[in-house]
Amino acid sequence: MLHANELALVNLRATDSRKTKMKSCCLLVLLICGAQAQSVAIEAAPGADVHGTIHTELDKTVSLLCRALEEGAELVWRRNGAVVSLKAENQRGNSSVCVTPVLHEDNGATFSCHLGKNATVRDAVTLNVTFPPVLSGSEEVSVEEKSPLVLSCQTFANPPVSPPLWTLNGSTVDLQAGSFSVTNDGSTSRLSCGAVDRGLHEGRYQCTVDSPLHGTRTRVFRVTVTDKTTKFPLTPIIAGVVVVFLTGVFAIFSRWSTITKCCK
Ligand SMILES: *[C@@H]1O[C@H](CO)[C@@H](O)[C@H](O)[C@H]1NC(C)=O
Ligand SMILES: *[C@@H]1O[C@H](CO)[C@@H](O)[C@H](O)[C@H]1NC(C)=O
């Protein structure tokens, strides 16, 4: 069987200038036929939406089947442009890939399938993996007076969540009064303070996010401020240094006295 493109070439060669009209007409027909003969299509479970997006969740399975209209045509699968290695028997006519379990990093991944002989004949789907923020439970935090305090909340989620609300003993944290600072980098929110003061900083902290899909998630931190312990005992060291210094002075002094004695 002649290939559609080859047919077009044969047709071009056989046509003289007087048949231009007829030629372009035939070409058009051939191009349409060619486009059909060269198509590939992806069938997905769960199915893709009109934008070619498959909506799924963490740990689920997505099956993709690529079909070439041309029987036995070699097919190539790519994930974000990188070729997916497949067994030889899974590369001709029909080719399937299975994404299982679905992971965080599959979110936004594009799976495309194209003809081995012509990469422009392709179809593609993109995964949208929803996952909740990993935010729950409680934590005991013990911090020494005047030491820094840093509380972190994981806010990484799809759909994304707004920065969390930080509370202390049930009220919104007063950043200014407690000399706190908050940073949000899209995946983690950090509440920090350079030097804790028991009266200002001890208590029950809570970090709360609202997800349109997964509801409200909270993490609790019970912060206790302990008395300052001197980790580095400076006083004995200073005393030691003084002793060494004085011994030296006395040594020189007694040496000096013997020298002066000698000179007399
Ligand atoms: C690949 O396919 C496209 C679309 O069907 C076509 O326009 C193009 O000429 C083909 N290229 C080759 C090298 O066959
Ligand atoms: C928060 O509540 C605890 C327990 O009632 C209390 O000891 C602490 O001082 C409170 N913290 C602040 C900053 O008011």
Side-chain angles (χ1 to χ4, degrees):
M1 192 185 98
L2 268 173
H3 195 273
N5 290 336
E6 290 160 3
L7 273 177
L9 278 174
V10 170
N11 191 286
L12 264 175
R13 283 189 213 105
T15 313
D16 66 34
S17 53
R18 283 172 300 169
K19 292 176 181 167
T20 311
K21 246 186 180 164
M22 187 189 152
K23 181 192 83 182
S24 36
C25 166
C26 285
L27 256 181
L28 189 68
V29 170
L30 281 165
L31 281 177
I32 291 167
C33 292
Q36 278 174 350
Q38 291 223 319
S39 77
V40 296
I42 294 174
E43 290 168 21
D49 67 12
V50 288
H51 307 291
T53 302
I54 296 169
H55 298 269
T56 183
E57 291 165 33
L58 279 190
D59 301 324
K60 292 278 168 76
T61 294
V62 171
S63 332
L64 305 171
L65 173 67
C66 181
R67 285 185 199 281
L69 203 67
E70 187 192 327
E71 225 173 282
E74 191 204 342
L75 294 168
V76 176
W77 273 103
R78 289 175 188 266
R79 180 188 183 281
N80 285 343
V83 173
V84 177
S85 62
L86 297 168
K87 287 180 181 149
E89 64 267 29
N90 188 20
Q91 287 179 16
R92 301 222 161 254
N94 284 342
S95 178
S96 58
V97 296
C98 194
V99 187
T100 188
V102 170
L103 305 174
H104 282 113
E105 49 266 43
D106 291 317
N107 185 37
T110 294
F111 288 85
S112 62
C113 168
H114 64 79
L115 286 181
K117 62 185 173 195
N118 188 343
T120 63
V121 182
R122 72 192 282 276
D123 195 9
V125 289
T126 300
L127 302 195
N128 180 35
V129 184
T130 56
F131 50 91
V134 191
L135 213 60
S136 63
S138 68
E139 194 181 313
E140 301 292 329
V141 179
S142 174
V143 58
E144 217 172 76
E145 277 277 7
K146 303 287 170 279
S147 291
L149 170 69
V150 181
L151 304 177
S152 306
C153 261
Q154 294 295 317
T155 54
F156 185 49
N158 185 35
V161 291
S162 303
L165 173 70
W166 285 96
T167 61
L168 168 55
N169 283 356
S171 328
T172 306
V173 167
D174 185 337
L175 298 183
Q176 217 167 354
S179 304
F180 286 109
S181 63
V182 176
T183 58
N184 294 293
D185 68 3
S187 65
T188 308
S189 174
R190 284 189 184 86
L191 176 73
S192 48
C193 142
V196 296
D197 175 321
R198 184 176 289 140
L200 284 175
H201 301 113
E202 196 168 71
R204 186 177 184 273
Y205 291 76
Q206 210 169 314
C207 149
T208 305
V209 295
D210 277 311
S211 161
L213 196 67
H214 303 103
T216 302
R217 303 272 167 141
T218 287
R219 181 160 180 84
V220 172
F221 303 85
R222 281 177 237 279
V223 174
T224 48
V225 177
T226 61
D227 288 336
K228 193 161 182 64
T229 57
T230 354
K231 278 181 195 147
F232 202 68
L234 269 182
T235 328
I237 289 174
I238 290 170
V241 168
V242 168
V243 167
V244 168
F245 175 74
L246 287 182
T247 315
V249 166
F250 282 128
I252 289 166
F253 189 75
S254 44
R255 177 113 185 92
W256 181 247
S257 52
T258 43
I259 290 169
T260 45
K261 262 176 205 162
C262 181
C263 287
K264 265 184 184 169

